[in-house]
Amino acid sequence: EVAELDDPERRVTLSDADFELINPNTGNLPIFRTMRDAELAKQVYSRVPVLIRSGPAGTQPWMVRLKQGLFNMTTRSSSFFTFNSLVDSGATLDGNVFVGDDGVRYLPLYEGKLVHHFDHRFATYEGASGDNTIEVDGARKVDPNWAIMPRYWVSEGEVGEKLEGWDREWLIGFRKVARSTDERTLVGTVVPAYGAGDSLQLLLPADARGVRAAALVASIGSFALDTIARLKVGGSNLNFFIMNQLPVLPPETFNDRVPWGGDRSETLAQWISSRVLELTYTAWDLRPWAIELGYHGEPFIWDEQRREQLRAELDACFFHLYGYSRDQVEHAMESFPIIKRRDEKQFGEYRMKHQILELFEEYSS
């Protein structure tokens, strides 16, 4: 509105160098609500490189390959099998994987709406017809044998063809549908190496094994990065040109020693990995991921309070690593109003923000 021109906070001044800094690949106009948002973005980008820098000066610290899922949900529907069609063919269900009479395995086809941060069992399709999804409550997730039901299945052979060159039994994925007005904008996690529709975009790091892979998962799940992502998404999709230009801490960051706590011999990668492991490995179908992180035990029991604490610790850590000040952490957390309203309704306060701020101050001292 024209009246907003009278508000100095709504007038944002950027130089040519700022455009190059914030959107180095495309040079397009960033989206800022206030000058404070612009200053925060410039500060973060001045110390953290983008995920993929294209052009003559191109860099790729993580050596990632981005894929629009493995299967287009419209053009490749002929490759999909429904629950009823597989049962009618004589296939039997083992967990959420079908096995045909001929021994062919049919793997679940993951969609973006089935996952959330550190959770590959966020939602499931109900009923054999597979028409609607429901969010999965914690009571189900306590059982490490319980697995979500997809809408479709695809043959293991076709999945293998799509994943040619990828030799791990897990994938890092993030939702394609992403709005700055949603609860969160950048939503990603680790999932089994099953089928993936184009609503679950994949981030496959060529040189991120073990604890480094966990650090990448934690990065895309952090409020520190999501705050910047909310300033970059103007529509409803997290397109690759946006993902490429997000500031993602490079792998060598996590080689440093943890600067807080009693054990200063632990690296940041190890500290982060132990928390990501506990948050993500809650079911047997992610056992290969746990082994990747050097863990051979049973899945961790789903515990809402414990998970809340672990996530707060990771978020405080990443706010610290991204160079946020205490006031900037508070400002960032206020940009997630849906989470704030939910917390205030449930707890009478914005508990998530308070937990993160308390830990942030502890890590900064």
Side-chain angles (χ1 to χ4, degrees), residues 335-350:
S335 68
F336 298 89
I338 297 176
I339 297 176
K340 179 180 181 179
R341 289 195 296 269
R342 185 191 64 200
D343 269 15
E344 290 177 340
K345 181 179 180 180
Q346 186 175 356
F347 306 115
E349 63 173 359
Y350 193 177

Side-chain angles (χ1 to χ4, degrees), residues 178-203:
R179 294 173 288 259
S180 60
T181 53
D182 287 343
E183 176 180 307
R184 296 290 296 267
T185 300
L186 177 55
V187 177
T189 190
V190 62
V191 299
Y194 292 162
D198 51 13
S199 62
L200 182 65
Q201 306 192 117
L202 301 180
L203 187 68

Side-chain angles (χ1 to χ4, degrees), residues 47-94:
R47 61 183 289 159
V48 181
V50 296
L51 179 66
I52 299 175
R53 175 73 183 268
S54 60
T59 56
Q60 238 219 79
W62 283 99
M63 297 301 294
V64 295
R65 178 162 49 117
L66 294 174
K67 293 180 67 68
Q68 292 181 325
L70 299 177
F71 298 91
N72 186 290
M73 298 295 287
T74 302
T75 62
R76 290 302 301 271
S77 59
S78 60
S79 298
F80 304 160
F81 298 87
T82 64
F83 182 95
N84 288 331
S85 68
L86 287 168
V87 169
D88 291 344
S89 72
T92 56
L93 194 61
D94 179 13

Side-chain angles (χ1 to χ4, degrees), residues 43 108 128 136-137 149 174 264 332:
Q43 174 187 308
V136 181
D137 59 31
M149 284 294 146
F174 61 95
R264 300 298 176 92

